Amino acid sequence: MRNQRFVLGLILGLVTSLWSSPESLANESSQTLIRKGADELASNRVSQASARFQEAVKADAKDADAHFLAGLALNRLGRSQQALENLKEAKKLKTAYRDLYFELGWAYLFMRQYEAAIEALGYYETIKPGRGLAHELLGRSRLALGQYDEAKIA
């Protein structure tokens, strides 16, 4: 249920982003593929969404949003290494998505890079506080490092 609300919120943010700032997308082909991917994601067809977002990256390698969304979908598919590559590129290209640090933390956690996960999720907590799932992932990262007292707080 929590993941469904997160995905729906993300899709709403995506659609709002597409309508409010189409100039942030580098080209029309990329924009079209992102919209198709968002539709797939909204229908919980994550594999198909991932394919559309990766096609958007190929259509325009400078499209920060395409990289971010490809990373998000790859995270959901458990392909953390590929997700991380896309998310790092989205960061470099200055994506506007505030959930970037959540997605980075997710990828780092599942790659067992706990220090990096704590850094990304800790920063995410400062820019978007109160998100239960981020708190949970932060706690898991701290537990993995044996930081039991800090994990209890998270």
Side-chain angles (χ1 to χ4, degrees):
M1 180 71 165
R2 232 184 323 182
N3 270 347
Q4 288 176 335
R5 282 186 294 193
F6 171 70
V7 170
L8 289 175
L10 199 61
I11 291 166
L12 180 60
L14 168 64
V15 170
T16 302
S17 169
L18 289 173
W19 284 329
S20 64
S21 60
E23 68 279 359
S24 70
L25 296 170
N27 70 39
E28 190 176 321
S29 176
S30 178
Q31 184 176 4
T32 299
L33 289 162
I34 286 174
R35 285 191 177 130
K36 288 179 181 179
D39 289 343
E40 298 286 2
L41 199 57
S43 298
N44 205 29
R45 293 188 298 264
V46 182
S47 291
Q48 293 88 338
S50 176
R52 293 303 80 70
F53 296 142
Q54 290 177 59
E55 288 174 30
V57 167
K58 287 178 185 171
D60 190 342
K62 300 283 187 207
D63 188 336
D65 293 346
H67 281 283
F68 170 79
L69 292 164
L72 177 144
L74 288 163
N75 259 345
R76 299 309 174 278
L77 293 171
R79 294 164 51 191
S80 302
Q81 180 62 49
Q82 289 175 287
L84 189 58
E85 292 167 12
N86 278 279
L87 295 166
K88 284 181 175 180
E89 189 64 19
K91 182 179 178 183
K92 181 177 143 190
L93 295 170
K94 301 185 185 324
T95 187
Y97 282 100
R98 289 178 43 199
D99 285 337
L100 172 67
Y101 290 92
F102 173 81
E103 294 299 330
L104 284 167
W106 177 320
Y108 284 128
L109 171 64
F110 287 94
M111 291 176 58
R112 294 187 168 94
Q113 295 181 23
Y114 303 117
E115 293 91 355
I118 289 169
E119 183 179 337
L121 292 164
Y123 180 71
Y124 180 76
E125 284 279 303
T126 66
I127 62 172
K128 210 168 177 185
R131 175 118 186 270
L133 188 54
H135 227 54
E136 180 182 334
L137 296 180
L138 190 55
R140 287 182 187 191
S141 297
R142 289 189 168 141
L143 276 174
L145 291 175
Q147 299 173 355
Y148 303 115
D149 291 336
E150 293 90 343
K152 286 180 192 176
I153 296 169

